């Protein structure tokens, strides 16, 4: 008995400290009102992973970049083909060309033939071959204002030229007569007039 009393006497301060500590903790646990503990009462690092309920956190609870990106999902199935769209509005037709007539004239062995597949408003009856390299046009169904001609490169020398003239130029009238509307002259540079195929456009 004496030894127990002596033990308590020597450790009285320690027992008092233990009693106060236990009593204070119990008081705090009992006296704190409901929902009174907030972030201000929590020490930094007080909440550990063990205290967090599993699967209770949301993606919005983490900073950007904190959560690892998941693996790329498999490619989805191809969707159904959409309905065919309606026909768009029809565009305005282009303006007609300005050429009143044109022709591809093929000259073989002195005979001039109008190539109908490459001609418009110019017929065989409208052309005559008056002399070497001179081709006259008359009876055309339009009034001439201009004519442009070029030599047909196929089978002709590179130095070949085709020149156009309109009535009432004196040269046209002299070579083709008073009824002529235009004349085309084909010649080879340095050699003078020569029969050759040509193209002509009348405006």
């Amino acid at each position: 008995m004496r030894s127990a009393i002596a033990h308590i006497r020597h450790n009285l301060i320690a027992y008092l400290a233990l009693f106060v500590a236990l009593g204070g903790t119990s008081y705090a646990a009992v006296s704190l009102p409901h929902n009174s503990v907030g972030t201000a009462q929590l020490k930094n690092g007080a909440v550990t992973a063990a205290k967090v309920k599993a699967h209770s956190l949301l993606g919005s609870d983490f900073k950007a970049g904190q959560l690892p990106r998941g693996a790329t999902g498999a490619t989805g199935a191809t969707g159904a083909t959409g309905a065919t769209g309606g026909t768009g509005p029809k565009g305005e037709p282009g303006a007609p060309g300005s050429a009143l007539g044109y022709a591809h004239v093929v000259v073989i062995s002195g005979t001039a033939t109008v190539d109908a597949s490459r001609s418009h408003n110019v017929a065989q009856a409208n052309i005559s071959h008056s002399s070497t390299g001179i081709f006259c046009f008359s009876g055309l169904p339009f009034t001439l204002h201009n004519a442009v001609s070029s030599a047909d490169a196929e089978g002709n020398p590179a130095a070949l030229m085709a020149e156009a003239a309109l009535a009432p130029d004196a040269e046209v009238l002299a070579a083709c007569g008073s009824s002529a509307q235009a004349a085309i002259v084909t010649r080879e540079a340095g050699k003078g007039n020569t029969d050759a195929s040509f193209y002509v456009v009348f405006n």
Side-chain angles (χ1 to χ4, degrees):
M1 184 68 178
R2 289 183 178 179
S3 61
I5 294 173
H7 174 77
I8 292 173
R9 184 180 300 168
H10 287 96
N11 295 282
L12 179 61
I13 301 301
Y15 282 118
L16 287 174
L18 177 62
F19 174 79
V20 171
L22 292 175
T25 303
S26 299
Y27 174 79
V30 172
S31 63
L32 288 176
H34 182 64
N35 289 333
S36 64
V37 177
T39 56
Q41 285 73 38
L42 295 176
K43 294 181 179 181
N44 292 337
V47 179
T48 63
K51 298 298 183 179
V52 178
K53 183 179 179 181
H55 310 297
S56 63
L57 297 179
L58 303 176
S60 58
D61 295 322
F62 297 88
K63 290 183 179 180
Q66 293 297 310
L67 297 177
R69 184 184 296 274
T72 302
T75 302
T78 302
T81 301
T84 302
T87 303
K90 184 177 181 180
E92 294 295 329
S98 62
L100 300 175
Y102 54 85
H104 175 218
V105 179
V106 179
V107 181
I108 300 176
S109 301
T111 300
T113 303
V114 174
D115 178 3
S117 66
R118 297 184 179 183
S119 302
H120 172 67
N121 273 348
V122 178
Q124 187 64 45
N126 299 127
I127 187 171
S128 62
H129 186 198
S130 63
S131 59
T132 301
I134 298 178
F135 305 89
C136 305
F137 289 86
S138 60
L140 294 170
F142 46 81
T143 300
L144 291 178
H145 303 284
N146 193 9
V148 178
S149 60
S150 60
D152 186 347
E154 184 177 0
N156 291 322
L160 187 68
M161 299 175 292
E163 300 173 339
L166 300 181
D169 290 356
E171 293 182 359
V172 175
L173 298 179
C176 298
S178 59
S179 64
Q181 294 170 278
I184 303 297
V185 179
T186 56
R187 59 168 59 100
E188 186 177 354
K191 295 185 178 181
N193 291 2
T194 184
D195 287 342
S197 301
F198 63 92
Y199 293 90
V200 62
V201 177
F202 296 114
N203 288 303

